[in-house]
Amino acid sequence: MKRLPIGILGSGKGSNCRAIFERIRSGDLAAEAHLVVSDVLDAPILDIAREFGVTNAYLPPGRFRTRLEPEIEEQLVQMLRDAGVELVVLAGFMRVLHEPMLKAFRRRIINIHPSLLPKFPGLESWKQALVAGETVTGCTVHYVDERIDHGQILAQGEIRILPNDTPESLHARIQVLEHKLYPAVIAEFCERYGEASQQVGGWPDKWVL
Ligand code: GRF
């Protein structure tokens, strides 16, 4: 089976990126990491890419805080295309993507978010869940669209909120779940890609998991 070429975008510590790399290394994820890009020069995710021998790049984001400058987003599209990336995996990427990326990689960009969307989009969702008095929370993998933590939901994992949970303990348990859920969803994409590559026409332009 042909392996799915993925590109990972992240701004921070990269624990999801590491979980994905470990699953690839252990042989149970039929993906191939072609590129890691970060908008933060000293983001640990770039060190993780180096540790696993994956091509990586810092992309200076430009003058905006929550998005990439349009020309820079075009540059990102080019970098991913040049690297042969078929699925773009957001792993803690703190910028909202716009038309250049969304058009170039339609239904090929996924994100993981630490809540049961549509509940608690945005920052520190585990804290939001605690403050709201929820008894259950979790994480969501979804397609990326032009809205923050929106887009069609692909999979969710749930955990109980314990009476003595602090924001830190809850976040840590959600991350353990993320590290299982994200590779599992990517594995589904790999399967589709492997099957599609054996058919005339290859990877379909539009499909739903
Ligand atoms: C994760 O909690 C993810 O849900 C959110 O950003 C965080 C990234 O963590 N989108 P890491 O950099 O993968 O450790």
Side-chain angles (χ1 to χ4, degrees), residues 12-17 91-92 111-114 126 171 175 178-179:
K13 73 177 195 284
S15 67
N16 279 284
C17 178
N111 182 43
I112 189 158
H113 180 76
W126 56 92
H171 185 209
Q175 285 233 284
E178 287 186 338
H179 301 160

mmCIF file of all heavy atoms in Angstrom, residues 12-17 91-92 111-114 126 171 175 178-179, ligand 1:
data_model
loop_
_atom_site.group_PDB
_atom_site.id
_atom_site.type_symbol
_atom_site.label_atom_id
_atom_site.label_comp_id
_atom_site.label_asym_id
_atom_site.label_seq_id
_atom_site.Cartn_x
_atom_site.Cartn_y
_atom_site.Cartn_z
ATOM 1 N N GLY A 12 3.709 24.942 18.935
ATOM 2 C CA GLY A 12 4.096 24.760 20.334
ATOM 3 C C GLY A 12 4.878 23.515 20.627
ATOM 4 O O GLY A 12 5.808 23.145 19.900
ATOM 5 N N LYS A 13 4.424 22.812 21.675
ATOM 6 C CA LYS A 13 5.269 21.756 22.214
ATOM 7 C C LYS A 13 5.297 20.470 21.380
ATOM 8 O O LYS A 13 6.233 19.690 21.494
ATOM 9 C CB LYS A 13 4.935 21.490 23.674
ATOM 10 C CG LYS A 13 3.660 20.775 23.996
ATOM 11 C CD LYS A 13 3.598 20.581 25.514
ATOM 12 C CE LYS A 13 2.566 19.583 25.958
ATOM 13 N NZ LYS A 13 1.186 20.012 25.933
ATOM 14 N N GLY A 14 4.291 20.260 20.579
ATOM 15 C CA GLY A 14 4.389 19.177 19.601
ATOM 16 C C GLY A 14 4.171 17.770 20.123
ATOM 17 O O GLY A 14 4.639 16.806 19.513
ATOM 18 N N SER A 15 3.414 17.627 21.233
ATOM 19 C CA SER A 15 3.242 16.264 21.748
ATOM 20 C C SER A 15 2.388 15.418 20.798
ATOM 21 O O SER A 15 2.596 14.204 20.685
ATOM 22 C CB SER A 15 2.644 16.287 23.154
ATOM 23 O OG SER A 15 1.329 16.756 23.134
ATOM 24 N N ASN A 16 1.445 16.036 20.094
ATOM 25 C CA ASN A 16 0.660 15.274 19.109
ATOM 26 C C ASN A 16 1.533 14.862 17.931
ATOM 27 O O ASN A 16 1.409 13.748 17.418
ATOM 28 C CB ASN A 16 -0.541 16.090 18.625
ATOM 29 C CG ASN A 16 -1.691 16.023 19.608
ATOM 30 O OD1 ASN A 16 -2.391 15.019 19.684
ATOM 31 N ND2 ASN A 16 -1.863 17.071 20.391
ATOM 32 N N CYS A 17 2.398 15.768 17.538
ATOM 33 C CA CYS A 17 3.329 15.469 16.441
ATOM 34 C C CYS A 17 4.191 14.266 16.828
ATOM 35 O O CYS A 17 4.355 13.322 16.055
ATOM 36 C CB CYS A 17 4.170 16.710 16.180
ATOM 37 S SG CYS A 17 5.402 16.517 14.903
ATOM 38 N N ALA A 91 -1.405 20.564 14.412
ATOM 39 C CA ALA A 91 -1.143 20.031 15.751
ATOM 40 C C ALA A 91 -0.701 21.192 16.630
ATOM 41 O O ALA A 91 0.488 21.474 16.760
ATOM 42 C CB ALA A 91 -0.073 18.947 15.677
ATOM 43 N N GLY A 92 -1.699 21.914 17.145
ATOM 44 C CA GLY A 92 -1.390 23.078 17.966
ATOM 45 C C GLY A 92 -0.905 24.253 17.125
ATOM 46 O O GLY A 92 -0.042 25.003 17.565
ATOM 47 N N ASN A 111 -7.692 19.080 12.085
ATOM 48 C CA ASN A 111 -7.209 19.688 13.329
ATOM 49 C C ASN A 111 -7.690 18.852 14.501
ATOM 50 O O ASN A 111 -8.692 18.147 14.408
ATOM 51 C CB ASN A 111 -7.777 21.112 13.444
ATOM 52 C CG ASN A 111 -7.296 21.829 14.686
ATOM 53 O OD1 ASN A 111 -6.115 21.765 15.036
ATOM 54 N ND2 ASN A 111 -8.196 22.512 15.376
ATOM 55 N N ILE A 112 -6.960 18.958 15.607
ATOM 56 C CA ILE A 112 -7.446 18.347 16.850
ATOM 57 C C ILE A 112 -7.657 19.454 17.864
ATOM 58 O O ILE A 112 -6.860 20.391 17.962
ATOM 59 C CB ILE A 112 -6.500 17.233 17.371
ATOM 60 C CG1 ILE A 112 -7.167 16.492 18.541
ATOM 61 C CG2 ILE A 112 -5.129 17.776 17.766
ATOM 62 C CD1 ILE A 112 -6.624 15.102 18.779
ATOM 63 N N HIS A 113 -8.774 19.341 18.597
ATOM 64 C CA HIS A 113 -9.125 20.388 19.558
ATOM 65 C C HIS A 113 -9.500 19.737 20.892
ATOM 66 O O HIS A 113 -10.211 18.732 20.918
ATOM 67 C CB HIS A 113 -10.305 21.209 19.016
ATOM 68 C CG HIS A 113 -10.715 22.294 19.944
ATOM 69 N ND1 HIS A 113 -9.980 23.463 20.060
ATOM 70 C CD2 HIS A 113 -11.740 22.386 20.823
ATOM 71 C CE1 HIS A 113 -10.555 24.228 20.982
ATOM 72 N NE2 HIS A 113 -11.624 23.590 21.454
ATOM 73 N N PRO A 114 -9.033 20.332 22.009
ATOM 74 C CA PRO A 114 -9.250 19.674 23.309
ATOM 75 C C PRO A 114 -10.613 19.936 23.957
ATOM 76 O O PRO A 114 -10.689 20.349 25.114
ATOM 77 C CB PRO A 114 -8.104 20.236 24.163
ATOM 78 C CG PRO A 114 -7.806 21.565 23.576
ATOM 79 C CD PRO A 114 -8.171 21.501 22.124
ATOM 80 N N TRP A 126 -10.208 23.157 28.132
ATOM 81 C CA TRP A 126 -10.348 22.313 29.325
ATOM 82 C C TRP A 126 -10.771 23.168 30.510
ATOM 83 O O TRP A 126 -11.587 22.747 31.323
ATOM 84 C CB TRP A 126 -9.039 21.551 29.589
ATOM 85 C CG TRP A 126 -7.843 22.450 29.734
ATOM 86 C CD1 TRP A 126 -7.365 22.973 30.892
ATOM 87 C CD2 TRP A 126 -7.027 22.964 28.693
ATOM 88 N NE1 TRP A 126 -6.288 23.782 30.627
ATOM 89 C CE2 TRP A 126 -6.052 23.789 29.289
ATOM 90 C CE3 TRP A 126 -7.021 22.810 27.299
ATOM 91 C CZ2 TRP A 126 -5.079 24.462 28.549
ATOM 92 C CZ3 TRP A 126 -6.052 23.464 26.573
ATOM 93 C CH2 TRP A 126 -5.091 24.282 27.188
ATOM 94 N N HIS A 171 -6.265 18.762 31.551
ATOM 95 C CA HIS A 171 -5.588 18.959 30.266
ATOM 96 C C HIS A 171 -4.665 17.774 29.965
ATOM 97 O O HIS A 171 -4.630 17.271 28.834
ATOM 98 C CB HIS A 171 -4.793 20.270 30.288
ATOM 99 C CG HIS A 171 -4.178 20.611 28.972
ATOM 100 N ND1 HIS A 171 -3.016 21.330 28.853
ATOM 101 C CD2 HIS A 171 -4.552 20.306 27.707
ATOM 102 C CE1 HIS A 171 -2.713 21.446 27.576
ATOM 103 N NE2 HIS A 171 -3.623 20.847 26.856
ATOM 104 N N GLN A 175 -4.857 15.241 26.780
ATOM 105 C CA GLN A 175 -3.749 15.056 25.825
ATOM 106 C C GLN A 175 -3.423 13.579 25.608
ATOM 107 O O GLN A 175 -3.133 13.169 24.486
ATOM 108 C CB GLN A 175 -2.518 15.838 26.292
ATOM 109 C CG GLN A 175 -2.703 17.342 26.045
ATOM 110 C CD GLN A 175 -1.552 17.955 25.264
ATOM 111 O OE1 GLN A 175 -0.495 18.174 25.816
ATOM 112 N NE2 GLN A 175 -1.771 18.227 23.987
ATOM 113 N N GLU A 178 -5.811 12.556 23.137
ATOM 114 C CA GLU A 178 -5.469 13.125 21.822
ATOM 115 C C GLU A 178 -4.430 12.272 21.111
ATOM 116 O O GLU A 178 -4.521 12.042 19.906
ATOM 117 C CB GLU A 178 -4.881 14.531 21.984
ATOM 118 C CG GLU A 178 -5.894 15.583 22.362
ATOM 119 C CD GLU A 178 -5.296 16.993 22.369
ATOM 120 O OE1 GLU A 178 -4.070 17.139 22.499
ATOM 121 O OE2 GLU A 178 -6.063 17.938 22.248
ATOM 122 N N HIS A 179 -3.454 11.809 21.892
ATOM 123 C CA HIS A 179 -2.347 11.069 21.288
ATOM 124 C C HIS A 179 -2.786 9.713 20.742
ATOM 125 O O HIS A 179 -2.071 9.100 19.966
ATOM 126 C CB HIS A 179 -1.205 10.908 22.308
ATOM 127 C CG HIS A 179 -0.687 12.224 22.800
ATOM 128 N ND1 HIS A 179 0.022 12.370 23.966
ATOM 129 C CD2 HIS A 179 -0.798 13.472 22.263
ATOM 130 C CE1 HIS A 179 0.323 13.656 24.133
ATOM 131 N NE2 HIS A 179 -0.163 14.342 23.117
HETATM 132 C C1 GRF B 1 -3.564 20.230 21.710
HETATM 133 O O1 GRF B 1 -4.181 20.194 22.973
HETATM 134 C C2 GRF B 1 -4.559 20.403 20.623
HETATM 135 O O2 GRF B 1 -5.804 19.877 20.943
HETATM 136 C C3 GRF B 1 -4.651 21.888 20.461
HETATM 137 O O3 GRF B 1 -3.351 22.356 20.700
HETATM 138 C C4 GRF B 1 -2.680 21.456 21.567
HETATM 139 C C5 GRF B 1 -1.369 21.116 20.952
HETATM 140 O O4 GRF B 1 -0.574 20.391 21.813
HETATM 141 N N1 GRF B 1 -5.142 22.243 19.152
HETATM 142 P P1 GRF B 1 0.786 19.767 21.337
HETATM 143 O O5 GRF B 1 1.636 20.906 20.792
HETATM 144 O O6 GRF B 1 0.497 18.744 20.308
HETATM 145 O O7 GRF B 1 1.381 19.184 22.575
#
